Amino acid sequence: MDVAAKPDSKVGVVIVAAGRGERAGLGDGPKQYRIVGGKTVIRRSIEAFAAHPAIGPIVAVIHSDDHALYAQAAGTLAGRVRVVEGGATRQDSVRLGLQALREAAPAKVLIHDAARPFVESALVDRTVAAIGERQAALPALAVSDTLKRGGNDGTVSETISRNGLYAAQTPQGFPFWPIYAAHMKAHHAGKTDFTDDAAIAEWTGIPVRLVEGSPDNIKLTWARDIEMADQRLSGAHFPDVRTGNGYDVHSFEAGDHVWLCGVKIPHGKKLSGHSDADVGLHALTDALLATCGAGDIGTHFPPSDPQWKGARSRIFAEHAASLVRAAGGRIANADITLICEAPRIGPHREAMTAAISEMLSIGPGRVSVKATTNERLGFIGREEGIAAIATATVIYPGEVSA
């Protein structure tokens, strides 16, 4: 133990945020970086501690792949928090977070899951007050549901008494050096089956005192939890639903295929353009950018820039979708109408829908690809080119008045 360090009177905090959030089933990144009520989950957790007068050094333990996500999420709080990379398990990540606090040597430490963004100042006060020199503190709520044990055949084998049973929460509080030593002991012993830090404290003989938890201090585990949290914080009676439109046209030139909505289609001509000239995706890109006031496709991918020569247009659509998500938007619908005499779109509609669904990370039921002719009128009717109209509907956090 590093006993040379001078103890810090402030309380240290380890915020564990290295998980992948598989149970949430979100498909677009770890849950701690999802936006609820206009802010990311992890930023809300950091703010709860950074604003508390008793809190000193804060360490955020993140996944090695998430540095860019974290920097964007933390924003102006980045300088308040030390960041370290986590391990293969939550237990490993906590140990690494505690190691990062050794130099600061706080007398007390709180260990908190980033996926609990609703921790209240009063809960922090109760937990810190219950930490002793050799005593931990565990916020918990008495179990109110009737508990059943299931048998191997899928039927109830017994009803379990809920007397004396509690559901544990975080932040869990500890005297710093004893819990650090406990984690190191478990690490060297190869024990990796502890479900929380209080369990490690119990294993090493550190008494754990129960303190009153908070029913609002929920852990965001499932996709529905995140959706409900967003609704709770947004309080939006009139949700901010925005619609963007895009239009594009490209002429034909000599060639043997066209790219339309991310699908390569054999054809007697090709569309002329600096990139692959995918008129459908160009219109869609403009529609998405319009929902967050981010200019148009030429703003981000100017045709004068040689790096986009022959580029796949899915790059443009994916970039626009990432800007929408960065602004807190959720893409609700993408609708594209292709206007051409040829090629026939019907045989390729399913592939186009699947391609756009993948680019935007939305379900295929939220994508519509349609086609119409120009009744042999104008340049389209003369088969000199193809036009596309796109509409995107995106839901942003907050109310319309915001």
Side-chain angles (χ1 to χ4, degrees):
M1 183 186 303
D2 182 5
V3 295
K6 183 178 179 180
D8 191 327
S9 61
K10 294 281 190 177
V11 179
V13 178
V14 173
I15 298 177
V16 190
R20 299 290 82 194
E22 291 89 349
R23 284 183 289 177
L26 299 170
D28 57 354
K31 61 190 176 185
Q32 56 269 34
Y33 299 107
R34 284 297 298 269
I35 293 176
V36 292
K39 296 180 182 179
T40 58
V41 171
I42 189 171
R43 184 181 178 93
R44 288 188 176 278
S45 292
I46 292 172
E47 285 179 343
F49 294 100
H52 196 287
I55 301 302
I58 301 174
V59 171
V61 189
I62 68 172
H63 193 276
S64 58
D65 293 340
D66 293 346
H67 284 279
L69 280 173
Y70 173 81
Q72 184 177 43
T76 56
L77 288 173
R80 176 71 173 86
V81 183
R82 179 177 177 183
V83 178
V84 298
E85 294 183 0
T89 65
R90 180 190 184 280
Q91 187 176 322
D92 283 336
S93 294
V94 173
R95 174 176 54 81
L96 293 168
L98 292 172
Q99 285 182 337
L101 279 177
R102 285 182 302 174
E103 184 177 349
K108 300 177 180 181
V109 64
L110 298 174
I111 301 173
H112 185 66
D113 293 328
R116 289 186 188 269
F118 303 129
V119 59
E120 303 161 347
S121 179
L123 177 58
V124 173
D125 290 338
R126 291 195 297 273
T127 306
V128 170
I131 302 172
E133 289 186 8
R134 286 290 304 177
Q135 176 178 281
L138 172 67
L141 293 175
V143 173
S144 58
D145 294 329
T146 297
L147 301 176
K148 305 287 184 179
R149 188 186 305 278
N152 293 332
D153 60 355
T155 63
V156 174
S157 61
E158 65 173 315
T159 298
I160 301 171
S161 173
R162 63 191 181 210
N163 291 336
L165 294 182
Y166 292 83
Q169 298 183 335
T170 68
Q172 298 178 5
F174 307 89
F176 176 75
W177 288 114
I179 192 61
Y180 173 69
H183 263 278
M184 293 305 296
K185 181 178 180 180
H187 175 63
H188 292 307
K191 291 190 64 67
T192 60
D193 56 347
F194 295 106
T195 57
D196 70 354
D197 304 290
I200 294 180
E202 297 162 34
W203 176 65
T204 55
I206 301 173
V208 180
R209 177 171 293 280
L210 292 169
V211 299
E212 181 186 357
S214 169
D216 292 331
N217 185 29
I218 62 171
K219 185 176 183 180
L220 305 184
T221 302
W222 309 102
R224 179 61 177 160
D225 298 335
I226 294 171
E227 181 180 345
M228 292 179 68
D230 188 39
Q231 293 173 355
R232 164 186 167 181
L233 288 169
S234 296
H237 301 290
F238 300 97
D240 188 359
V241 181
R242 307 181 194 176
T243 300
N245 295 315
Y247 173 81
D248 195 39
V249 60
H250 283 278
S251 62
F252 281 125
E253 64 181 16
D256 60 4
H257 70 276
V258 293
W259 282 97
L260 290 173
C261 295
V263 176
K264 185 178 182 180
I265 302 173
H267 190 55
K269 306 172 184 177
K270 69 185 289 274
L271 290 171
S272 175
H274 189 64
S275 63
D276 63 8
D278 190 325
V279 64
L281 293 187
H282 290 186
L284 176 61
T285 299
D286 276 349
L288 290 167
L289 293 173
T291 68
C292 55
D296 60 18
I297 192 170
T299 305
H300 300 268
F301 305 98
S304 58
D305 190 336
Q307 70 172 309
W308 308 122
K309 178 69 174 177
R312 292 286 305 277
S313 295
R314 68 175 298 141
I315 297 172
F316 310 156
E318 289 172 346
H319 175 73
S322 71
L323 293 179
V324 166
R325 286 192 293 271
R330 291 181 294 156
I331 301 171
N333 175 254
D335 179 32
I336 301 171
T337 300
L338 298 169
I339 309 169
C340 60
E341 303 296 330
R344 291 185 60 218
I345 302 303
H348 307 284
R349 182 179 287 110
E350 185 174 345
M352 293 176 178
T353 298
I356 294 170
S357 173
E358 180 184 357
M359 292 175 214
L360 306 188
S361 297
I362 59 176
R366 297 183 180 276
V367 178
S368 172
V369 177
K370 308 186 300 296
T372 187
T373 69
N374 220 36
E375 299 294 339
R376 296 291 176 183
L377 298 174
F379 77 93
I380 294 176
R382 295 190 297 270
E383 298 190 35
E384 295 174 2
I386 296 178
I389 299 172
T391 302
T393 303
V394 180
I395 303 172
Y396 287 89
E399 299 188 24
V400 173
S401 59

